[in-house]
Amino acid sequence: MKDEMWITTWSYAQRRTSFTRWENQDSFQIDIPNNIWGHAIKLKFSNWYGTRSIGIKEVNFSLKGHTYSVFVKEQQEFQVMPTRDIYSDTVFVELVPGDIIRISVTFVNQLRPESGNTFQNGIAMIFQSVLVATSNKADVIAFFGDSITHRQKWSKPLIHNWYAKYPGRLAAFEVAVDGSRLLNDSPKADDETLGFRAAKRFQHDILENTGINYVVFALGLNDLAIEEGKHELTLESYANAVEEIVKAAHKKDIKVIGLTITPRQINEFYTSEKNHLRKAINQWILQNSPFDAAVDIAALVTNENDTALKTEYSDIDGVHISQEAGRVIAEALEKERIFEWC
């Protein structure tokens, strides 16, 4: 088909699944929102964090009352090898904005897959992305961050508003991992469930997902709170890491929007000195960073002393933002007019 292109309409980040809910089950089902006009689908499976092969017995998806079987190299049952990604065969089906794609995956046994993540109120093991073949131009935005992004307090309302206002013009999703850090991999004490360091994740979760042309980057708070690792967080090390990531993105014509780092309650893990470093990093993000644009979300939700989240914008743990804070951040990102469709 003339001017056909494959784009990622939905994806999520991988991590080790030791602490992910898995109740002696052999299957899962999740619903994926679609906002793109298309005429075919491919699915991407990833065993990136796995140490053993995962057998998949059957995959199908439901769309507008019809169910479609998914094959890999014309086989219904297939294996996903350790540390590898694979793509399904093409399924030809018409998609329109507003469609919900219900993905069902059944494994050959009940062993917990080692690579996956949580998605909203469910789980998604081994399955990573939905790709759509389209002849229409559409932007693809990935939100790359930690738990403040992964919990979707700001990304979910933003995506909801965009999809309602701009049907067919964009796809957006979060590729975030709880506890993710910019400079270091997950500590061994956490069984590597906090994922690889950002530069490594960025290659896999952003650069290797086709069609992404915007990234909203929100990382740094966990580097301040978790010291274990060979790389020390300083203003210089933060800047160097971000510069490398943005340079890699620009080589693929991806624009990167940087968000400032929100604070957390000061304690033995997050000291006044670390909060001072956070503010220095935020100043660099706003004034000197290579980001294509920067948004000061910290200023929206921080108390008057810039030492913690405002009470009404803080979750009970003093680290994560509330639903109301998420709404405020989503509104600010829309008002900034840094995206072509706004």
Side-chain angles (χ1 to χ4, degrees), residues 17-39:
T17 62
S18 305
F19 298 118
T20 301
R21 178 175 55 83
W22 189 256
E23 299 172 350
N24 296 320
Q25 59 198 86
D26 63 0
S27 63
F28 69 85
Q29 184 179 86
I30 56 174
D31 290 343
I32 308 300
N34 173 67
N35 192 48
I36 300 297
W37 300 95
H39 53 267

mmCIF file of all heavy atoms in Angstrom, residues 17-39:
data_model
loop_
_atom_site.group_PDB
_atom_site.id
_atom_site.type_symbol
_atom_site.label_atom_id
_atom_site.label_comp_id
_atom_site.label_asym_id
_atom_site.label_seq_id
_atom_site.Cartn_x
_atom_site.Cartn_y
_atom_site.Cartn_z
ATOM 1 N N THR A 17 10.113 -9.803 37.091
ATOM 2 C CA THR A 17 8.743 -9.894 37.591
ATOM 3 C C THR A 17 8.604 -10.560 38.954
ATOM 4 O O THR A 17 7.502 -10.955 39.334
ATOM 5 C CB THR A 17 7.887 -10.693 36.586
ATOM 6 O OG1 THR A 17 8.426 -12.031 36.488
ATOM 7 C CG2 THR A 17 7.878 -10.039 35.219
ATOM 8 N N SER A 18 9.693 -10.663 39.716
ATOM 9 C CA SER A 18 9.662 -11.395 40.981
ATOM 10 C C SER A 18 8.542 -10.945 41.914
ATOM 11 O O SER A 18 7.947 -11.764 42.629
ATOM 12 C CB SER A 18 11.003 -11.243 41.708
ATOM 13 O OG SER A 18 12.062 -11.639 40.882
ATOM 14 N N PHE A 19 8.255 -9.637 41.927
ATOM 15 C CA PHE A 19 7.251 -9.111 42.842
ATOM 16 C C PHE A 19 5.935 -8.774 42.143
ATOM 17 O O PHE A 19 5.052 -8.158 42.729
ATOM 18 C CB PHE A 19 7.793 -7.873 43.564
ATOM 19 C CG PHE A 19 9.002 -8.156 44.404
ATOM 20 C CD1 PHE A 19 10.211 -7.554 44.142
ATOM 21 C CD2 PHE A 19 8.922 -9.060 45.453
ATOM 22 C CE1 PHE A 19 11.327 -7.830 44.920
ATOM 23 C CE2 PHE A 19 10.028 -9.345 46.240
ATOM 24 C CZ PHE A 19 11.241 -8.727 45.971
ATOM 25 N N THR A 20 5.807 -9.196 40.900
ATOM 26 C CA THR A 20 4.563 -8.968 40.168
ATOM 27 C C THR A 20 3.558 -10.062 40.521
ATOM 28 O O THR A 20 3.909 -11.235 40.598
ATOM 29 C CB THR A 20 4.822 -8.983 38.646
ATOM 30 O OG1 THR A 20 5.765 -7.971 38.328
ATOM 31 C CG2 THR A 20 3.535 -8.729 37.867
ATOM 32 N N ARG A 21 2.332 -9.678 40.745
ATOM 33 C CA ARG A 21 1.282 -10.648 41.098
ATOM 34 C C ARG A 21 1.180 -11.749 40.040
ATOM 35 O O ARG A 21 1.081 -11.479 38.852
ATOM 36 C CB ARG A 21 -0.061 -9.914 41.219
ATOM 37 C CG ARG A 21 -1.236 -10.830 41.533
ATOM 38 C CD ARG A 21 -2.485 -9.992 41.753
ATOM 39 N NE ARG A 21 -2.758 -9.123 40.630
ATOM 40 C CZ ARG A 21 -3.393 -9.506 39.522
ATOM 41 N NH1 ARG A 21 -3.780 -10.772 39.386
ATOM 42 N NH2 ARG A 21 -3.630 -8.636 38.554
ATOM 43 N N TRP A 22 1.209 -12.976 40.496
ATOM 44 C CA TRP A 22 1.068 -14.124 39.585
ATOM 45 C C TRP A 22 0.504 -15.262 40.408
ATOM 46 O O TRP A 22 1.181 -15.867 41.225
ATOM 47 C CB TRP A 22 2.422 -14.504 38.979
ATOM 48 C CG TRP A 22 2.327 -15.531 37.889
ATOM 49 C CD1 TRP A 22 2.635 -16.857 37.988
ATOM 50 C CD2 TRP A 22 1.906 -15.313 36.554
ATOM 51 N NE1 TRP A 22 2.425 -17.483 36.788
ATOM 52 C CE2 TRP A 22 1.979 -16.566 35.877
ATOM 53 C CE3 TRP A 22 1.466 -14.204 35.843
ATOM 54 C CZ2 TRP A 22 1.633 -16.709 34.529
ATOM 55 C CZ3 TRP A 22 1.120 -14.349 34.504
ATOM 56 C CH2 TRP A 22 1.210 -15.580 33.859
ATOM 57 N N GLU A 23 -0.779 -15.565 40.218
ATOM 58 C CA GLU A 23 -1.512 -16.464 41.107
ATOM 59 C C GLU A 23 -1.710 -17.835 40.462
ATOM 60 O O GLU A 23 -2.831 -18.248 40.168
ATOM 61 C CB GLU A 23 -2.845 -15.826 41.491
ATOM 62 C CG GLU A 23 -2.655 -14.497 42.233
ATOM 63 C CD GLU A 23 -3.961 -13.752 42.451
ATOM 64 O OE1 GLU A 23 -4.978 -14.167 41.867
ATOM 65 O OE2 GLU A 23 -3.944 -12.769 43.209
ATOM 66 N N ASN A 24 -0.586 -18.530 40.247
ATOM 67 C CA ASN A 24 -0.638 -19.880 39.668
ATOM 68 C C ASN A 24 -1.511 -19.924 38.420
ATOM 69 O O ASN A 24 -2.316 -20.833 38.226
ATOM 70 C CB ASN A 24 -1.155 -20.886 40.704
ATOM 71 C CG ASN A 24 -0.231 -21.016 41.896
ATOM 72 O OD1 ASN A 24 0.985 -21.020 41.735
ATOM 73 N ND2 ASN A 24 -0.796 -21.099 43.087
ATOM 74 N N GLN A 25 -1.322 -18.930 37.581
ATOM 75 C CA GLN A 25 -2.142 -18.821 36.395
ATOM 76 C C GLN A 25 -1.319 -19.150 35.160
ATOM 77 O O GLN A 25 -0.098 -19.213 35.207
ATOM 78 C CB GLN A 25 -2.726 -17.405 36.282
ATOM 79 C CG GLN A 25 -1.667 -16.311 36.208
ATOM 80 C CD GLN A 25 -2.253 -14.949 36.530
ATOM 81 O OE1 GLN A 25 -2.338 -14.566 37.684
ATOM 82 N NE2 GLN A 25 -2.649 -14.234 35.500
ATOM 83 N N ASP A 26 -2.006 -19.376 34.062
ATOM 84 C CA ASP A 26 -1.301 -19.676 32.820
ATOM 85 C C ASP A 26 -1.696 -18.716 31.698
ATOM 86 O O ASP A 26 -1.392 -18.954 30.536
ATOM 87 C CB ASP A 26 -1.561 -21.119 32.378
ATOM 88 C CG ASP A 26 -3.034 -21.396 32.069
ATOM 89 O OD1 ASP A 26 -3.856 -20.462 32.200
ATOM 90 O OD2 ASP A 26 -3.352 -22.541 31.707
ATOM 91 N N SER A 27 -2.372 -17.615 32.070
ATOM 92 C CA SER A 27 -2.816 -16.686 31.031
ATOM 93 C C SER A 27 -3.081 -15.306 31.623
ATOM 94 O O SER A 27 -3.148 -15.137 32.840
ATOM 95 C CB SER A 27 -4.097 -17.203 30.360
ATOM 96 O OG SER A 27 -5.160 -17.268 31.294
ATOM 97 N N PHE A 28 -3.217 -14.327 30.755
ATOM 98 C CA PHE A 28 -3.656 -12.999 31.163
ATOM 99 C C PHE A 28 -4.379 -12.346 29.989
ATOM 100 O O PHE A 28 -4.283 -12.798 28.844
ATOM 101 C CB PHE A 28 -2.490 -12.114 31.627
ATOM 102 C CG PHE A 28 -1.550 -11.689 30.538
ATOM 103 C CD1 PHE A 28 -1.815 -10.568 29.760
ATOM 104 C CD2 PHE A 28 -0.390 -12.412 30.296
ATOM 105 C CE1 PHE A 28 -0.937 -10.180 28.751
ATOM 106 C CE2 PHE A 28 0.490 -12.029 29.289
ATOM 107 C CZ PHE A 28 0.213 -10.912 28.521
ATOM 108 N N GLN A 29 -5.088 -11.275 30.295
ATOM 109 C CA GLN A 29 -5.844 -10.536 29.281
ATOM 110 C C GLN A 29 -5.795 -9.054 29.622
ATOM 111 O O GLN A 29 -6.018 -8.676 30.774
ATOM 112 C CB GLN A 29 -7.297 -11.031 29.257
ATOM 113 C CG GLN A 29 -8.170 -10.425 28.183
ATOM 114 C CD GLN A 29 -9.585 -11.011 28.240
ATOM 115 O OE1 GLN A 29 -10.442 -10.526 28.980
ATOM 116 N NE2 GLN A 29 -9.814 -12.070 27.479
ATOM 117 N N ILE A 30 -5.470 -8.214 28.663
ATOM 118 C CA ILE A 30 -5.463 -6.764 28.876
ATOM 119 C C ILE A 30 -6.122 -6.068 27.698
ATOM 120 O O ILE A 30 -6.141 -6.585 26.576
ATOM 121 C CB ILE A 30 -4.036 -6.211 29.080
ATOM 122 C CG1 ILE A 30 -3.129 -6.578 27.904
ATOM 123 C CG2 ILE A 30 -3.445 -6.691 30.387
ATOM 124 C CD1 ILE A 30 -1.762 -5.930 27.979
ATOM 125 N N ASP A 31 -6.652 -4.874 27.952
ATOM 126 C CA ASP A 31 -7.300 -4.070 26.929
ATOM 127 C C ASP A 31 -6.396 -2.903 26.538
ATOM 128 O O ASP A 31 -5.938 -2.146 27.405
ATOM 129 C CB ASP A 31 -8.641 -3.522 27.431
ATOM 130 C CG ASP A 31 -9.688 -4.610 27.592
ATOM 131 O OD1 ASP A 31 -9.492 -5.705 27.024
ATOM 132 O OD2 ASP A 31 -10.694 -4.379 28.279
ATOM 133 N N ILE A 32 -6.165 -2.746 25.247
ATOM 134 C CA ILE A 32 -5.290 -1.719 24.716
ATOM 135 C C ILE A 32 -6.116 -0.691 23.939
ATOM 136 O O ILE A 32 -6.809 -1.053 22.991
ATOM 137 C CB ILE A 32 -4.222 -2.316 23.773
ATOM 138 C CG1 ILE A 32 -3.479 -3.462 24.462
ATOM 139 C CG2 ILE A 32 -3.274 -1.236 23.278
ATOM 140 C CD1 ILE A 32 -2.754 -3.064 25.715
ATOM 141 N N PRO A 33 -6.063 0.585 24.314
ATOM 142 C CA PRO A 33 -6.790 1.608 23.550
ATOM 143 C C PRO A 33 -6.033 1.957 22.269
ATOM 144 O O PRO A 33 -4.798 2.032 22.261
ATOM 145 C CB PRO A 33 -6.816 2.796 24.509
ATOM 146 C CG PRO A 33 -5.574 2.630 25.340
ATOM 147 C CD PRO A 33 -5.371 1.146 25.491
ATOM 148 N N ASN A 34 -6.769 2.150 21.188
ATOM 149 C CA ASN A 34 -6.162 2.525 19.909
ATOM 150 C C ASN A 34 -6.705 3.870 19.451
ATOM 151 O O ASN A 34 -7.899 4.127 19.543
ATOM 152 C CB ASN A 34 -6.456 1.468 18.833
ATOM 153 C CG ASN A 34 -5.990 1.922 17.461
ATOM 154 O OD1 ASN A 34 -4.791 2.050 17.222
ATOM 155 N ND2 ASN A 34 -6.930 2.195 16.568
ATOM 156 N N ASN A 35 -5.814 4.726 18.941
ATOM 157 C CA ASN A 35 -6.242 6.037 18.441
ATOM 158 C C ASN A 35 -5.748 6.279 17.012
ATOM 159 O O ASN A 35 -5.666 7.411 16.554
ATOM 160 C CB ASN A 35 -5.707 7.146 19.356
ATOM 161 C CG ASN A 35 -6.343 8.491 19.084
ATOM 162 O OD1 ASN A 35 -7.564 8.606 18.977
ATOM 163 N ND2 ASN A 35 -5.526 9.533 18.944
ATOM 164 N N ILE A 36 -5.420 5.196 16.295
ATOM 165 C CA ILE A 36 -4.803 5.297 14.976
ATOM 166 C C ILE A 36 -5.662 4.591 13.930
ATOM 167 O O ILE A 36 -6.220 3.529 14.184
ATOM 168 C CB ILE A 36 -3.393 4.651 14.999
ATOM 169 C CG1 ILE A 36 -2.501 5.357 16.015
ATOM 170 C CG2 ILE A 36 -2.750 4.664 13.614
ATOM 171 C CD1 ILE A 36 -2.240 6.804 15.722
ATOM 172 N N TRP A 37 -5.743 5.182 12.739
ATOM 173 C CA TRP A 37 -6.331 4.503 11.596
ATOM 174 C C TRP A 37 -5.315 3.480 11.093
ATOM 175 O O TRP A 37 -4.133 3.792 10.932
ATOM 176 C CB TRP A 37 -6.655 5.479 10.471
ATOM 177 C CG TRP A 37 -7.627 6.560 10.842
ATOM 178 C CD1 TRP A 37 -7.330 7.817 11.278
ATOM 179 C CD2 TRP A 37 -9.047 6.470 10.803
ATOM 180 N NE1 TRP A 37 -8.488 8.523 11.532
ATOM 181 C CE2 TRP A 37 -9.557 7.734 11.242
ATOM 182 C CE3 TRP A 37 -9.941 5.469 10.450
ATOM 183 C CZ2 TRP A 37 -10.914 7.990 11.332
ATOM 184 C CZ3 TRP A 37 -11.305 5.734 10.528
ATOM 185 C CH2 TRP A 37 -11.778 6.981 10.966
ATOM 186 N N GLY A 38 -5.769 2.255 10.845
ATOM 187 C CA GLY A 38 -4.828 1.248 10.388
ATOM 188 C C GLY A 38 -5.510 0.108 9.662
ATOM 189 O O GLY A 38 -6.735 -0.010 9.660
ATOM 190 N N HIS A 39 -4.690 -0.743 9.054
ATOM 191 C CA HIS A 39 -5.244 -1.872 8.299
ATOM 192 C C HIS A 39 -4.541 -3.193 8.614
ATOM 193 O O HIS A 39 -4.802 -4.198 7.962
ATOM 194 C CB HIS A 39 -5.167 -1.591 6.786
ATOM 195 C CG HIS A 39 -3.808 -1.215 6.318
ATOM 196 N ND1 HIS A 39 -3.397 0.097 6.219
ATOM 197 C CD2 HIS A 39 -2.756 -1.962 5.930
ATOM 198 C CE1 HIS A 39 -2.149 0.138 5.782
ATOM 199 N NE2 HIS A 39 -1.736 -1.099 5.610
#
